[in-house]
Amino acid sequence: GLFSCGSLGFWLIKLSCFPILISFTSLIAKELVSEHSTKVQVGYQYLRTDVVWTPKRVRYYPSLCVSAGVAAGLLGIGGGMLKGPIMLEMGLPPPVVSATAAYMLLFTTFSTSIQFSIMGEMMYDYAILLFFIGLASAIFGQFVLGYFVARYRKQYLITMTIAAVIGCSAFFMGISGIVRTMEKYRAGESLWFKGLCASKVPTRLQEIAGTQFEPAVP
């Protein structure tokens, strides 16, 4: 790379995204508040599903999204899954929440896959298999759930589905974490944080998985 891991240039590049993100967030928040003020002045009647961007809300919801992003990064899951409940709390319709969360998951998954591929840690056999499983499941779920929502006119079915997916993910992620921790403890491995600058980049997956790691290709 251009800079060695842990050097000043390395950290400057890593931290350079924060001023950019804060600037864009502040600019968009300012525009949303200005638009809300204009609507109030002209007597605009908000719909029940409209989001009213008051100064308090443009500070509150971005803070929640930052927390969701940090949690998603630490847990290794898509941020859209955690932001689904936030959007429901904002009062957005369940179909909008579902579509927006799916787009977020697509974007984060695609970018993460590119990073793994560049670092040489992509297990292509697993990736291809999981891609087709996810695609088939999404198509099946879309048609089945869409059928029941259209037939019974119950939007809460989408909300319940989102809650069920998040709940199951949290449960199985907890089980997986406990099993891996116990395996590492029995194998005498350190349970503390590993160094950021690992000397063996290609074996990073093995370091994360510990004794449960099984290479995809012999």
Side-chain angles (χ1 to χ4, degrees):
L2 296 176
F3 302 99
S4 60
C5 182
S7 64
L8 177 61
F10 172 85
W11 284 111
L12 287 177
I13 292 178
K14 285 289 186 180
L15 299 177
S16 62
C17 64
F18 289 100
I20 298 175
L21 294 175
I22 293 175
S23 299
F24 274 100
T25 303
S26 301
L27 178 62
I28 295 173
K30 183 178 179 181
E31 291 183 356
L32 289 174
V33 172
S34 176
E35 182 180 349
H36 167 66
S37 300
T38 302
K39 289 182 177 180
V40 172
Q41 291 175 3
V42 299
Y44 177 80
Q45 297 295 324
Y46 282 95
L47 299 177
R48 185 176 59 87
T49 55
D50 285 343
V51 179
V52 181
W53 290 108
T54 61
K56 180 180 179 180
R57 285 195 165 193
V58 296
R59 294 190 298 267
Y60 176 67
Y61 287 117
S63 301
L64 285 182
C65 290
V66 170
S67 302
V70 173
L74 292 175
L75 298 175
I77 59 178
M81 183 180 299
L82 297 178
K83 292 179 182 177
I86 296 177
M87 290 185 286
L88 289 174
E89 194 271 339
M90 292 172 63
L92 294 177
V96 176
V97 173
S98 178
T100 305
Y103 173 76
M104 291 180 181
L105 288 173
L106 174 64
F107 181 80
T108 54
T109 303
F110 182 71
S111 60
T112 304
S113 299
I114 293 178
Q115 294 178 13
F116 272 77
S117 180
I118 293 175
M119 296 174 64
E121 297 183 357
M122 175 68 78
M123 299 180 180
Y124 288 99
D125 51 351
Y126 284 104
I128 295 174
L129 176 62
L130 293 176
F131 170 79
F132 284 107
I133 292 177
L135 180 62
S137 301
I139 295 175
F140 177 78
Q142 182 70 23
F143 279 102
V144 173
L145 187 60
Y147 169 78
F148 283 105
V149 170
R151 179 175 179 178
Y152 297 104
R153 301 185 182 275
K154 301 294 184 181
Q155 296 288 337
Y156 74 85
L157 293 175
I158 301 177
T159 304
M160 296 300 296
T161 302
I162 296 175
V165 170
I166 295 176
C168 291
S169 299
F171 175 77
F172 288 113
M173 187 177 298
I175 296 297
S176 176
I178 293 174
V179 171
R180 288 187 176 185
T181 301
M182 293 302 297
E183 289 290 337
K184 288 184 177 182
Y185 177 77
R186 292 170 182 171
E189 299 182 27
S190 174
L191 301 180
W192 193 242
F193 294 103
K194 291 182 171 62
L196 178 64
C197 301
S199 58
K200 298 180 180 180
V201 177
T203 61
R204 182 60 177 162
L205 285 178
Q206 188 171 1
E207 294 177 3
I208 296 174
T211 54
Q212 288 192 336
F213 176 82
E214 296 182 0
V217 182

